[in-house]
Structure formats: structure tokens, C-alpha cells
Coordinates of all heavy atoms in Angstrom, one line a residue:
M1497 N -35.0 -168.2 -8.5 CA -34.3 -169.4 -8.9 C -34.1 -169.7 -10.3 O -33.0 -170.0 -10.8 CB -35.3 -170.5 -8.3 CG -34.8 -171.9 -8.6 SD -33.4 -172.3 -7.7 CE -33.1 -173.9 -8.1
I1498 N -35.1 -169.4 -11.1 CA -34.9 -169.5 -12.6 C -34.0 -168.4 -13.1 O -33.1 -168.8 -14.0 CB -36.3 -169.3 -13.2 CG1 -37.2 -170.5 -12.9 CG2 -36.2 -169.3 -14.7 CD1 -38.5 -170.5 -13.4
N1499 N -33.9 -167.2 -12.6 CA -33.2 -166.2 -12.9 C -31.6 -166.6 -12.7 O -30.8 -166.4 -13.6 CB -33.4 -164.9 -12.2 CG -32.6 -163.7 -12.7 OD1 -32.1 -163.8 -13.9 ND2 -32.6 -162.7 -12.0
A1500 N -31.3 -167.2 -11.5 CA -30.0 -167.6 -11.3 C -29.5 -168.7 -12.2 O -28.4 -168.8 -12.6 CB -29.9 -168.1 -9.8
L1501 N -30.4 -169.7 -12.5 CA -30.1 -170.7 -13.4 C -29.8 -170.2 -14.8 O -28.8 -170.6 -15.4 CB -31.3 -171.7 -13.5 CG -31.0 -172.9 -14.3 CD1 -30.0 -173.8 -13.7 CD2 -32.4 -173.8 -14.4
L1502 N -30.7 -169.3 -15.3 CA -30.4 -168.7 -16.5 C -29.1 -167.9 -16.6 O -28.3 -167.9 -17.6 CB -31.6 -167.7 -17.0 CG -32.9 -168.5 -17.4 CD1 -34.0 -167.5 -17.7 CD2 -32.7 -169.4 -18.6
M1503 N -28.8 -167.1 -15.6 CA -27.6 -166.4 -15.5 C -26.3 -167.3 -15.5 O -25.3 -167.1 -16.1 CB -27.5 -165.6 -14.3 CG -28.5 -164.3 -14.3 SD -28.1 -163.2 -15.6 CE -26.5 -162.6 -15.1
G1504 N -26.5 -168.5 -14.8 CA -25.4 -169.5 -14.8 C -25.2 -170.1 -16.1 O -24.0 -170.3 -16.6
I1505 N -26.3 -170.4 -16.9 CA -26.1 -170.9 -18.2 C -25.5 -169.9 -19.2 O -24.6 -170.2 -20.0 CB -27.6 -171.4 -18.7 CG1 -28.0 -172.6 -18.0 CG2 -27.5 -171.7 -20.2 CD1 -29.4 -173.0 -18.2
M1506 N -26.0 -168.6 -19.0 CA -25.4 -167.6 -19.9 C -23.9 -167.4 -19.7 O -23.1 -167.3 -20.6 CB -26.1 -166.2 -19.7 CG -27.6 -166.3 -20.3 SD -27.7 -166.7 -22.0 CE -26.9 -165.2 -22.8
N1507 N -23.5 -167.4 -18.4 CA -22.1 -167.3 -18.1 C -21.2 -168.4 -18.6 O -20.1 -168.3 -19.0 CB -21.9 -167.1 -16.6 CG -22.3 -165.8 -16.0 OD1 -22.2 -164.8 -16.8 ND2 -22.7 -165.8 -14.7
L1508 N -21.8 -169.7 -18.5 CA -21.1 -170.8 -19.1 C -21.0 -170.7 -20.5 O -19.9 -171.0 -21.1 CB -21.9 -172.1 -18.7 CG -21.4 -173.4 -19.3 CD1 -20.1 -173.7 -18.6 CD2 -22.4 -174.5 -19.1
I1509 N -22.0 -170.2 -21.3 CA -22.0 -170.1 -22.7 C -21.0 -169.0 -23.1 O -20.2 -169.3 -24.0 CB -23.4 -169.8 -23.3 CG1 -24.3 -171.0 -23.2 CG2 -23.3 -169.3 -24.7 CD1 -25.7 -170.7 -23.5
M1510 N -21.0 -167.9 -22.3 CA -20.0 -166.8 -22.6 C -18.5 -167.3 -22.4 O -17.6 -167.0 -23.1 CB -20.3 -165.6 -21.8 CG -21.5 -164.9 -22.4 SD -21.8 -163.2 -21.6 CE -22.2 -163.7 -19.9
G1511 N -18.4 -168.1 -21.3 CA -17.0 -168.7 -21.1 C -16.6 -169.6 -22.2 O -15.4 -169.6 -22.6
L1512 N -17.4 -170.5 -22.6 CA -17.0 -171.4 -23.7 C -16.8 -170.6 -25.0 O -15.9 -171.1 -25.7 CB -18.2 -172.4 -23.9 CG -18.4 -173.5 -22.8 CD1 -19.6 -174.3 -23.0 CD2 -17.1 -174.3 -22.6
V1513 N -17.5 -169.7 -25.3 CA -17.3 -168.8 -26.6 C -16.0 -168.2 -26.4 O -15.2 -168.0 -27.3 CB -18.5 -167.9 -26.8 CG1 -18.1 -166.9 -27.8 CG2 -19.8 -168.6 -27.2
G1514 N -15.7 -167.6 -25.2 CA -14.4 -167.0 -25.0 C -13.3 -168.0 -25.3 O -12.2 -167.6 -25.8
V1515 N -13.4 -169.2 -24.8 CA -12.3 -170.2 -24.9 C -12.2 -170.6 -26.4 O -11.0 -170.7 -26.9 CB -12.6 -171.5 -24.0 CG1 -11.8 -172.6 -24.4 CG2 -12.5 -171.1 -22.6
L1516 N -13.3 -170.7 -27.1 CA -13.3 -171.0 -28.5 C -12.6 -169.9 -29.4 O -11.9 -170.2 -30.3 CB -14.7 -171.3 -29.0 CG -15.3 -172.7 -28.6 CD1 -16.7 -172.7 -29.0 CD2 -14.4 -173.8 -29.0
L1517 N -12.9 -168.7 -29.0 CA -12.4 -167.5 -29.8 C -11.0 -167.1 -29.4 O -10.4 -166.3 -30.1 CB -13.4 -166.4 -29.7 CG -14.7 -166.6 -30.4 CD1 -15.6 -165.4 -30.2 CD2 -14.6 -167.0 -31.9
K1518 N -10.4 -167.6 -28.3 CA -9.1 -167.1 -27.9 C -8.0 -167.4 -29.0 O -7.2 -166.5 -29.2 CB -8.8 -167.8 -26.6 CG -7.5 -167.2 -25.9 CD -7.7 -165.9 -25.5 CE -6.4 -165.5 -24.7 NZ -6.5 -164.0 -24.4
P1519 N -8.0 -168.6 -29.6 CA -6.9 -168.8 -30.7 C -7.1 -167.8 -31.8 O -6.1 -167.4 -32.3 CB -7.1 -170.3 -31.1 CG -7.8 -170.9 -30.0 CD -8.7 -169.8 -29.3
I1520 N -8.3 -167.5 -32.2 CA -8.5 -166.6 -33.3 C -8.0 -165.2 -32.8 O -7.4 -164.5 -33.6 CB -10.0 -166.5 -33.7 CG1 -10.4 -167.9 -34.3 CG2 -10.3 -165.4 -34.7 CD1 -11.9 -168.0 -34.5
D1521 N -8.3 -164.8 -31.6 CA -7.8 -163.5 -31.1 C -6.3 -163.5 -31.1 O -5.7 -162.4 -31.5 CB -8.4 -163.3 -29.7 CG -8.0 -161.9 -29.2 OD1 -8.0 -161.0 -29.9 OD2 -7.8 -161.8 -27.9
L1522 N -5.6 -164.5 -30.7 CA -4.2 -164.5 -30.7 C -3.6 -164.5 -32.1 O -2.6 -163.8 -32.3 CB -3.6 -165.8 -29.9 CG -4.0 -165.9 -28.4 CD1 -3.6 -167.2 -27.8 CD2 -3.2 -164.8 -27.7
L1523 N -4.3 -165.1 -33.0 CA -3.8 -165.1 -34.4 C -4.0 -163.8 -35.0 O -3.0 -163.2 -35.7 CB -4.6 -166.1 -35.3 CG -4.3 -166.3 -36.7 CD1 -2.9 -166.9 -36.9 CD2 -5.3 -167.0 -37.4
I1524 N -5.0 -163.1 -34.7 CA -5.3 -161.7 -35.3 C -4.2 -160.7 -34.6 O -3.6 -159.9 -35.3 CB -6.7 -161.2 -35.0 CG1 -7.7 -162.0 -35.9 CG2 -6.9 -159.8 -35.2 CD1 -9.1 -161.7 -35.5
S1525 N -4.0 -160.9 -33.4 CA -3.1 -160.0 -32.6 C -1.6 -160.2 -33.1 O -0.8 -159.3 -33.1 CB -3.1 -160.1 -31.2 OG -2.7 -161.4 -30.7
A1526 N -1.3 -161.5 -33.6 CA 0.0 -161.8 -34.0 C 0.2 -161.3 -35.5 O 1.3 -160.9 -35.9 CB 0.3 -163.3 -33.9
A1527 N -0.9 -161.3 -36.3 CA -0.7 -161.0 -37.6 C -0.8 -159.6 -38.0 O -0.2 -159.1 -38.9 CB -1.9 -161.8 -38.4
L1528 N -1.5 -158.8 -37.2 CA -1.7 -157.4 -37.4 C -0.7 -156.5 -36.6 O -0.3 -156.9 -35.5 CB -3.1 -156.9 -37.0 CG -4.3 -157.5 -37.9 CD1 -5.6 -157.1 -37.3 CD2 -4.1 -157.1 -39.3
P1529 N -0.2 -155.5 -37.2 CA 0.8 -154.7 -36.5 C 0.1 -154.0 -35.2 O -1.1 -153.8 -35.2 CB 1.3 -153.7 -37.4 CG 0.2 -153.6 -38.4 CD -0.4 -155.0 -38.5
D1530 N 1.0 -153.5 -34.3 CA 0.4 -152.8 -33.2 C -0.2 -151.4 -33.5 O 0.5 -150.7 -34.4 CB 1.6 -152.6 -32.2 CG 1.2 -152.1 -30.9 OD1 0.0 -152.3 -30.6 OD2 2.0 -151.6 -30.1
L1531 N -1.2 -151.1 -33.0 CA -1.9 -149.9 -33.4 C -1.5 -148.7 -32.5 O -2.0 -147.6 -32.7 CB -3.4 -150.0 -33.4 CG -3.9 -150.9 -34.4 CD1 -5.4 -151.0 -34.3 CD2 -3.6 -150.4 -35.8
S1532 N -0.7 -148.9 -31.5 CA -0.3 -147.9 -30.5 C 0.3 -146.6 -31.2 O 0.2 -145.6 -30.8 CB 0.5 -148.4 -29.4 OG 1.8 -148.9 -29.8
S1533 N 1.2 -146.9 -32.3 CA 1.9 -145.9 -32.9 C 0.8 -145.0 -33.7 O 1.0 -143.8 -33.7 CB 2.9 -146.5 -33.9 OG 2.4 -147.3 -34.8
A1534 N -0.1 -145.7 -34.2 CA -1.2 -144.9 -35.0 C -2.0 -144.1 -34.0 O -2.4 -142.9 -34.3 CB -2.1 -145.9 -35.8
F1535 N -2.3 -144.6 -32.9 CA -3.1 -143.9 -31.9 C -2.3 -142.7 -31.4 O -2.9 -141.6 -31.2 CB -3.6 -144.8 -30.8 CG -4.7 -145.7 -31.2 CD1 -4.7 -147.0 -30.7 CD2 -5.7 -145.4 -32.1 CE1 -5.7 -147.9 -31.1 CE2 -6.7 -146.3 -32.5 CZ -6.7 -147.6 -31.9
S1536 N -1.0 -142.9 -31.2 CA -0.2 -141.8 -30.7 C -0.1 -140.7 -31.8 O 0.0 -139.5 -31.4 CB 1.1 -142.3 -30.2 OG 1.8 -142.8 -31.3
A1537 N 0.0 -141.2 -33.1 CA 0.1 -140.1 -34.1 C -1.2 -139.3 -34.2 O -1.1 -138.1 -34.4 CB 0.4 -140.8 -35.5
I1538 N -2.3 -140.0 -34.1 CA -3.6 -139.3 -34.1 C -3.7 -138.3 -32.9 O -4.2 -137.2 -33.1 CB -4.8 -140.2 -34.0 CG1 -4.9 -141.0 -35.5 CG2 -6.1 -139.6 -33.9 CD1 -5.7 -142.1 -35.5
G1539 N -3.3 -138.7 -31.8 CA -3.3 -137.8 -30.6 C -2.4 -136.6 -30.8 O -2.7 -135.5 -30.4
S1540 N -1.2 -136.8 -31.4 CA -0.3 -135.7 -31.6 C -0.8 -134.7 -32.7 O -0.7 -133.5 -32.6 CB 1.1 -136.2 -32.0 OG 1.1 -136.9 -33.2
M1541 N -1.6 -135.2 -33.6 CA -2.2 -134.4 -34.7 C -3.3 -133.5 -34.1 O -3.3 -132.3 -34.3 CB -2.8 -135.3 -35.8 CG -3.5 -134.5 -36.8 SD -4.5 -135.5 -38.0 CE -5.8 -136.0 -37.0
F1542 N -4.1 -134.1 -33.2 CA -5.1 -133.3 -32.5 C -4.4 -132.2 -31.5 O -5.0 -131.2 -31.4 CB -6.1 -134.2 -31.7 CG -7.2 -134.7 -32.7 CD1 -7.3 -136.2 -32.7 CD2 -8.0 -134.0 -33.4 CE1 -8.3 -136.7 -33.5 CE2 -9.0 -134.5 -34.1 CZ -9.1 -135.8 -34.3
A1543 N -3.4 -132.6 -31.0 CA -2.7 -131.6 -30.1 C -2.1 -130.4 -30.9 O -2.2 -129.3 -30.6 CB -1.5 -132.4 -29.3
L1544 N -1.6 -130.8 -32.1 CA -1.0 -129.8 -33.0 C -2.2 -128.9 -33.4 O -2.0 -127.7 -33.5 CB -0.4 -130.4 -34.2 CG 0.2 -129.5 -35.2 CD1 1.3 -128.6 -34.7 CD2 0.7 -130.2 -36.4
I1545 N -3.3 -129.5 -33.9 CA -4.4 -128.7 -34.3 C -5.0 -127.8 -33.2 O -5.2 -126.6 -33.5 CB -5.6 -129.6 -34.8 CG1 -5.1 -130.2 -36.1 CG2 -6.9 -128.8 -35.0 CD1 -6.1 -131.3 -36.6
S1546 N -5.0 -128.2 -32.0 CA -5.5 -127.4 -30.9 C -4.6 -126.3 -30.5 O -4.9 -125.2 -30.1 CB -5.8 -128.3 -29.7 OG -4.6 -128.8 -29.2
N1547 N -3.3 -126.6 -30.7 CA -2.3 -125.5 -30.5 C -2.3 -124.4 -31.5 O -2.2 -123.2 -31.3 CB -0.9 -126.0 -30.5 CG -0.6 -126.8 -29.2 OD1 -1.3 -126.6 -28.2 ND2 0.3 -127.8 -29.2
V1548 N -2.6 -124.8 -32.8 CA -2.6 -123.8 -33.9 C -3.9 -123.1 -34.1 O -3.9 -122.0 -34.6 CB -2.1 -124.6 -35.2 CG1 -2.3 -123.7 -36.4 CG2 -0.8 -125.2 -35.1
L1549 N -5.0 -123.7 -33.7 CA -6.2 -123.2 -33.8 C -6.4 -121.8 -33.2 O -7.0 -120.9 -33.8 CB -7.3 -124.1 -33.3 CG -8.8 -123.8 -33.6 CD1 -9.0 -123.8 -35.1 CD2 -9.7 -124.7 -32.9
G1550 N -6.0 -121.6 -32.0 CA -6.0 -120.3 -31.4 C -5.2 -119.2 -32.1 O -5.7 -118.2 -32.3
F1551 N -4.1 -119.6 -32.7 CA -3.3 -118.7 -33.5 C -4.1 -118.3 -34.7 O -4.1 -117.1 -35.1 CB -2.0 -119.3 -33.8 CG -1.1 -118.4 -34.6 CD1 -0.5 -117.3 -34.1 CD2 -0.8 -118.7 -36.0 CE1 0.3 -116.4 -34.9 CE2 0.0 -117.9 -36.7 CZ 0.6 -116.8 -36.2
I1552 N -4.7 -119.2 -35.4 CA -5.5 -118.9 -36.6 C -6.7 -118.1 -36.3 O -6.9 -117.1 -37.1 CB -5.9 -120.3 -37.3 CG1 -4.7 -121.0 -37.8 CG2 -6.8 -120.0 -38.4 CD1 -4.9 -122.4 -38.3
V1553 N -7.4 -118.4 -35.3 CA -8.5 -117.5 -34.9 C -8.0 -116.1 -34.6 O -8.6 -115.1 -35.0 CB -9.3 -118.1 -33.7 CG1 -10.3 -117.1 -33.2 CG2 -10.0 -119.4 -34.2
D1554 N -6.9 -116.0 -33.9 CA -6.4 -114.7 -33.6 C -5.9 -113.9 -34.8 O -6.1 -112.7 -34.9 CB -5.2 -114.8 -32.6 CG -4.8 -113.5 -32.0 OD1 -5.7 -112.6 -31.7 OD2 -3.5 -113.3 -31.8
M1555 N -5.4 -114.5 -35.8 CA -5.0 -113.9 -37.0 C -6.1 -113.4 -37.9 O -5.9 -112.6 -38.7 CB -4.1 -114.8 -37.8 CG -2.7 -115.1 -37.1 SD -1.8 -113.6 -36.9 CE -1.4 -113.2 -38.6
T1556 N -7.3 -114.0 -37.7 CA -8.4 -113.6 -38.5 C -8.9 -112.1 -38.1 O -9.4 -111.4 -39.0 CB -9.6 -114.5 -38.5 OG1 -10.0 -114.6 -37.0 CG2 -9.2 -115.9 -39.0
G1557 N -8.6 -111.8 -36.9 CA -9.1 -110.4 -36.5 C -10.5 -110.3 -36.2 O -11.0 -109.2 -36.0
L1558 N -11.2 -111.4 -36.0 CA -12.6 -111.4 -35.8 C -12.8 -111.2 -34.2 O -12.0 -111.6 -33.4 CB -13.3 -112.8 -36.1 CG -13.3 -113.0 -37.6 CD1 -13.9 -114.4 -37.9 CD2 -14.3 -111.9 -38.4
S1559 N -13.9 -110.5 -33.9 CA -14.1 -110.4 -32.5 C -14.8 -111.7 -31.9 O -15.2 -112.6 -32.6 CB -15.1 -109.3 -32.2 OG -16.4 -109.6 -32.9
S1560 N -14.8 -111.7 -30.6 CA -15.4 -112.9 -30.0 C -16.8 -113.1 -30.2 O -17.3 -114.2 -30.3 CB -15.1 -112.9 -28.5 OG -15.8 -111.8 -27.8
E1561 N -17.6 -112.0 -30.4 CA -19.0 -112.1 -30.8 C -19.2 -112.7 -32.1 O -20.1 -113.5 -32.4 CB -19.7 -110.8 -30.7 CG -19.9 -110.2 -29.3 CD -18.5 -109.5 -28.8 OE1 -17.6 -109.2 -29.7 OE2 -18.4 -109.2 -27.6
A1562 N -18.3 -112.3 -33.1 CA -18.5 -112.8 -34.4 C -18.1 -114.3 -34.5 O -18.8 -115.1 -35.2 CB -17.5 -112.0 -35.4
I1563 N -17.1 -114.7 -33.8 CA -16.7 -116.1 -33.7 C -17.8 -116.9 -33.1 O -18.2 -118.0 -33.5 CB -15.4 -116.3 -32.9 CG1 -14.3 -115.7 -33.7 CG2 -15.1 -117.8 -32.7 CD1 -13.0 -115.6 -33.0
S1564 N -18.5 -116.3 -32.0 CA -19.6 -117.0 -31.4 C -20.8 -117.2 -32.3 O -21.4 -118.2 -32.4 CB -20.1 -116.3 -30.1 OG -19.1 -116.2 -29.2
L1565 N -21.0 -116.1 -33.1 CA -22.1 -116.2 -34.1 C -21.9 -117.3 -35.2 O -22.7 -118.0 -35.6 CB -22.4 -114.9 -34.8 CG -23.1 -113.8 -33.9 CD1 -23.2 -112.5 -34.6 CD2 -24.5 -114.4 -33.6
I1566 N -20.6 -117.4 -35.6 CA -20.2 -118.3 -36.6 C -20.4 -119.7 -36.1 O -21.0 -120.6 -36.7 CB -18.8 -118.1 -37.1 CG1 -18.7 -116.8 -37.9 CG2 -18.3 -119.3 -37.9 CD1 -17.3 -116.4 -38.2
V1567 N -19.9 -120.0 -34.9 CA -20.1 -121.3 -34.2 C -21.5 -121.7 -34.0 O -22.0 -122.7 -34.2 CB -19.3 -121.4 -32.8 CG1 -19.6 -122.5 -32.0 CG2 -17.8 -121.2 -33.1
L1568 N -22.3 -120.6 -33.5 CA -23.8 -121.0 -33.3 C -24.5 -121.3 -34.7 O -25.3 -122.1 -34.8 CB -24.4 -119.7 -32.6 CG -24.2 -119.5 -31.2 CD1 -24.8 -118.3 -30.8 CD2 -24.8 -120.7 -30.5
Y1569 N -24.1 -120.5 -35.7 CA -24.7 -120.8 -37.1 C -24.4 -122.2 -37.5 O -25.4 -123.0 -38.0 CB -24.2 -119.8 -38.1 CG -24.5 -120.2 -39.5 CD1 -25.8 -120.0 -40.0 CD2 -23.6 -120.7 -40.4 CE1 -26.2 -120.4 -41.2 CE2 -23.9 -121.1 -41.6 CZ -25.2 -120.9 -42.1 OH -25.6 -121.3 -43.3
Y1570 N -23.1 -122.6 -37.4 CA -22.8 -124.0 -37.9 C -23.4 -125.1 -37.0 O -23.8 -126.2 -37.4 CB -21.3 -124.2 -38.0 CG -20.8 -123.6 -39.4 CD1 -20.1 -122.4 -39.4 CD2 -21.2 -124.1 -40.6 CE1 -19.7 -121.8 -40.6 CE2 -20.8 -123.6 -41.8 CZ -20.0 -122.4 -41.7 OH -19.7 -121.9 -43.0
T1571 N -23.5 -124.8 -35.7 CA -24.1 -125.7 -34.8 C -25.6 -125.9 -35.1 O -26.2 -127.0 -35.2 CB -24.0 -125.3 -33.3 OG1 -22.6 -125.0 -33.0 CG2 -24.7 -126.3 -32.4
F1572 N -26.3 -124.8 -35.4 CA -27.6 -124.9 -35.8 C -27.8 -125.6 -37.1 O -28.7 -126.4 -37.4 CB -28.2 -123.4 -36.0 CG -29.7 -123.3 -36.3 CD1 -30.7 -123.6 -35.5 CD2 -30.0 -123.1 -37.7 CE1 -32.0 -123.5 -35.8 CE2 -31.3 -123.0 -38.0 CZ -32.3 -123.2 -37.1
K1573 N -27.0 -125.3 -38.1 CA -27.0 -125.8 -39.4 C -26.8 -127.3 -39.5 O -27.4 -128.1 -40.2 CB -26.0 -125.2 -40.4 CG -26.0 -125.6 -41.8 CD -25.0 -124.9 -42.6 CE -25.1 -125.5 -44.0 NZ -24.0 -124.9 -44.9
L1574 N -26.0 -127.8 -38.5 CA -25.7 -129.3 -38.5 C -26.6 -130.1 -37.6 O -26.8 -131.2 -37.8 CB -24.2 -129.5 -38.0 CG -23.2 -128.9 -39.0 CD1 -21.8 -129.1 -38.3 CD2 -23.2 -129.7 -40.3
T1575 N -27.3 -129.4 -36.5 CA -28.1 -130.2 -35.6 C -29.6 -130.2 -36.1 O -30.2 -131.2 -35.7 CB -27.9 -129.7 -34.2 OG1 -28.3 -128.3 -34.2 CG2 -26.6 -129.9 -33.7
V1576 N -30.1 -129.1 -36.7 CA -31.5 -129.1 -37.0 C -31.8 -130.2 -38.0 O -32.9 -130.8 -37.8 CB -31.8 -127.7 -37.6 CG1 -33.2 -127.6 -38.1 CG2 -31.8 -126.7 -36.5
P1577 N -31.1 -130.5 -39.1 CA -31.6 -131.6 -39.9 C -31.6 -132.9 -39.3 O -32.4 -133.7 -39.4 CB -30.5 -131.6 -41.1 CG -30.0 -130.2 -41.1 CD -30.0 -129.7 -39.7
V1578 N -30.7 -133.1 -38.3 CA -30.6 -134.4 -37.6 C -31.8 -134.5 -36.8 O -32.5 -135.5 -36.6 CB -29.3 -134.5 -36.8 CG1 -29.3 -135.7 -35.9 CG2 -28.1 -134.6 -37.8
T1579 N -32.2 -133.4 -36.0 CA -33.3 -133.4 -35.1 C -34.6 -133.6 -35.9 O -35.5 -134.4 -35.4 CB -33.4 -132.0 -34.4 OG1 -32.1 -131.9 -33.7 CG2 -34.5 -132.0 -33.3
V1580 N -34.7 -132.9 -37.0 CA -36.0 -133.0 -37.9 C -36.1 -134.4 -38.3 O -37.2 -135.1 -38.3 CB -36.0 -132.0 -39.1 CG1 -37.0 -132.3 -40.0 CG2 -36.0 -130.6 -38.4
S1581 N -35.0 -135.1 -38.7 CA -35.2 -136.5 -39.3 C -35.5 -137.5 -38.2 O -36.2 -138.4 -38.3 CB -33.8 -136.9 -39.9 OG -32.8 -136.9 -39.1
A1582 N -34.9 -137.2 -36.9 CA -35.3 -138.0 -35.8 C -36.7 -137.9 -35.4 O -37.3 -138.9 -35.2 CB -34.4 -137.6 -34.6
V1583 N -37.2 -136.7 -35.5 CA -38.7 -136.5 -35.2 C -39.5 -137.2 -36.2 O -40.5 -137.8 -35.9 CB -39.0 -135.0 -35.0 CG1 -40.5 -134.8 -35.0 CG2 -38.3 -134.4 -33.8
K1584 N -39.2 -137.0 -37.5 CA -40.0 -137.7 -38.6 C -39.9 -139.2 -38.4 O -40.9 -139.9 -38.6 CB -39.4 -137.4 -39.9 CG -39.7 -135.9 -40.4 CD -39.1 -135.7 -41.8 CE -39.5 -134.4 -42.3 NZ -38.8 -134.2 -43.6
Q1585 N -38.8 -139.8 -38.0 CA -38.6 -141.2 -37.8 C -39.5 -141.7 -36.6 O -40.1 -142.6 -36.6 CB -37.2 -141.6 -37.6 CG -37.0 -143.1 -37.5 CD -37.1 -143.8 -38.8 OE1 -36.9 -143.2 -39.8 NE2 -37.6 -144.9 -38.8
A1586 N -39.5 -140.9 -35.5 CA -40.3 -141.2 -34.4 C -41.8 -141.1 -34.7 O -42.6 -142.0 -34.3 CB -40.0 -140.2 -33.2
I1587 N -42.2 -140.2 -35.5 CA -43.6 -140.2 -36.0 C -44.0 -141.3 -36.8 O -45.0 -141.9 -36.7 CB -43.9 -138.8 -36.7 CG1 -43.8 -137.7 -35.7 CG2 -45.3 -138.9 -37.4 CD1 -43.9 -136.3 -36.3
K1588 N -43.1 -141.8 -37.7 CA -43.3 -143.0 -38.5 C -43.5 -144.2 -37.6 O -44.4 -145.0 -37.9 CB -42.1 -143.2 -39.5 CG -42.3 -142.5 -40.8 CD -41.2 -143.1 -41.7 CE -40.6 -142.1 -42.7 NZ -39.5 -142.6 -43.4
W1589 N -42.6 -144.3 -36.7 CA -42.7 -145.5 -35.8 C -44.0 -145.4 -35.0 O -44.6 -146.5 -34.8 CB -41.4 -145.5 -34.9 CG -40.2 -145.9 -35.5 CD1 -40.0 -146.4 -36.8 CD2 -38.9 -145.8 -34.9 NE1 -38.7 -146.6 -37.0 CE2 -38.0 -146.3 -35.8 CE3 -38.5 -145.4 -33.7 CZ2 -36.6 -146.4 -35.6 CZ3 -37.1 -145.5 -33.4 CH2 -36.2 -146.0 -34.4
Y1590 N -44.4 -144.3 -34.5 CA -45.6 -144.2 -33.8 C -46.8 -144.5 -34.7 O -47.6 -145.3 -34.1 CB -45.8 -142.7 -33.2 CG -47.0 -142.5 -32.5 CD1 -47.3 -143.1 -31.3 CD2 -48.1 -141.8 -33.2 CE1 -48.5 -142.8 -30.6 CE2 -49.3 -141.6 -32.5 CZ -49.4 -142.1 -31.2 OH -50.7 -141.9 -30.6
D1591 N -46.8 -144.0 -35.9 CA -47.9 -144.4 -36.8 C -48.0 -145.9 -37.1 O -49.0 -146.5 -37.2 CB -47.8 -143.7 -38.1 CG -48.1 -142.1 -38.0 OD1 -48.8 -141.8 -36.9 OD2 -47.7 -141.3 -38.8
K1592 N -46.9 -146.6 -37.2 CA -46.8 -148.0 -37.4 C -47.3 -148.8 -36.3 O -47.7 -149.9 -36.4 CB -45.5 -148.4 -38.0 CG -45.2 -147.9 -39.4 CD -44.0 -148.6 -40.0 CE -43.8 -148.1 -41.4 NZ -42.9 -148.8 -42.2
L1593 N -46.9 -148.3 -35.1 CA -47.2 -149.1 -33.8 C -48.6 -148.9 -33.3 O -49.0 -149.6 -32.5 CB -46.2 -148.8 -32.7 CG -44.7 -149.3 -33.1 CD1 -43.8 -148.8 -32.0 CD2 -44.7 -150.8 -33.1
K1594 N -49.2 -147.7 -33.6 CA -50.5 -147.5 -32.9 C -51.6 -148.4 -33.6 O -51.5 -148.8 -34.7 CB -50.9 -146.0 -33.1 CG -51.3 -145.6 -34.4 CD -51.7 -144.1 -34.4 CE -52.1 -143.7 -35.8 NZ -52.5 -142.3 -35.8
P1595 N -52.5 -148.8 -32.7 CA -53.5 -149.8 -33.2 C -54.4 -149.2 -34.2 O -54.7 -148.2 -34.4 CB -54.2 -150.1 -31.9 CG -53.9 -149.2 -30.9 CD -52.7 -148.4 -31.3

């Protein structure tokens, strides 16, 4: 019963906030240009990069094993520091929360 009442109140508050913010949303959408052209340009840039990437890798003359080792090295180099910092942060939080 209380859960249904709280959900009703929250839905009412969200509806009122939506009504209050609708004019601001319309003003922002009218004042700023459309971003669809920017998104399509970004998509075409990634398509061009993906098309050219295979040609570039082929022109280097590296074997598939060498390319795999390079990718594994950079994956290790970029993920290990993030993992170590996450573990250090978890240990700090554990030390602060333990009684």
C-alpha cells in the first residue's frame, strides 16, 4: 500500500517536472542547430577508418602473430593500470568501512 502511494507521488512529481521543463527543452532545441549532420559525419569517419585500416595493416607486411602480439601488448598496457587502481580503491573503501 505504501509502495503504491510512494510510486504514485513519484510519478506525479516526475510529470510536473516534465511539464515545467518542456518550454526550456523547446527553447534549447530551437536555439541549437541539428546534430544529425555531425553524427552522420562521425559515422562516415569511422567507416572510412575501418575501410583503410585493413589496407594499412596489409601494407606493413606484419604477420598475423605479430599483429596479435602488438594488440595484446597494448591491451595489457592499458588495462593493468586501471585494474590496479580499481583494486587499490576497493581496498581503501574496505579499510574505511570495516569496524
Side-chain angles (χ1 to χ4, degrees):
M1497 176 69 180
I1498 294 175
N1499 189 18
L1501 183 65
L1502 288 175
M1503 289 299 292
I1505 291 172
M1506 290 302 291
N1507 286 334
L1508 178 68
I1509 291 171
M1510 287 188 290
L1512 291 174
V1513 168
V1515 168
L1516 290 174
L1517 293 179
K1518 187 68 173 173
I1520 296 171
D1521 185 35
L1522 292 174
L1523 181 68
I1524 290 172
S1525 64
L1528 294 176
D1530 190 19
L1531 293 177
S1532 63
S1533 60
F1535 290 142
S1536 64
I1538 291 171
S1540 63
M1541 180 189 67
F1542 280 121
L1544 177 66
I1545 289 171
S1546 66
N1547 288 337
V1548 173
L1549 189 62
F1551 179 70
I1552 292 172
V1553 169
D1554 191 37
M1555 290 300 293
T1556 60
L1558 293 173
S1559 66
S1560 62
E1561 291 84 14
I1563 294 171
S1564 296
L1565 284 174
I1566 292 169
V1567 169
L1568 285 173
Y1569 169 74
Y1570 280 109
T1571 303
F1572 180 79
K1573 183 179 178 183
L1574 295 173
T1575 57
V1576 168
V1578 174
T1579 306
V1580 169
S1581 66
V1583 169
K1584 284 182 180 179
Q1585 188 70 31
I1587 291 171
K1588 270 193 216 175
W1589 288 349
Y1590 176 75
D1591 286 340
K1592 288 188 180 195
L1593 290 175
K1594 73 179 180 180

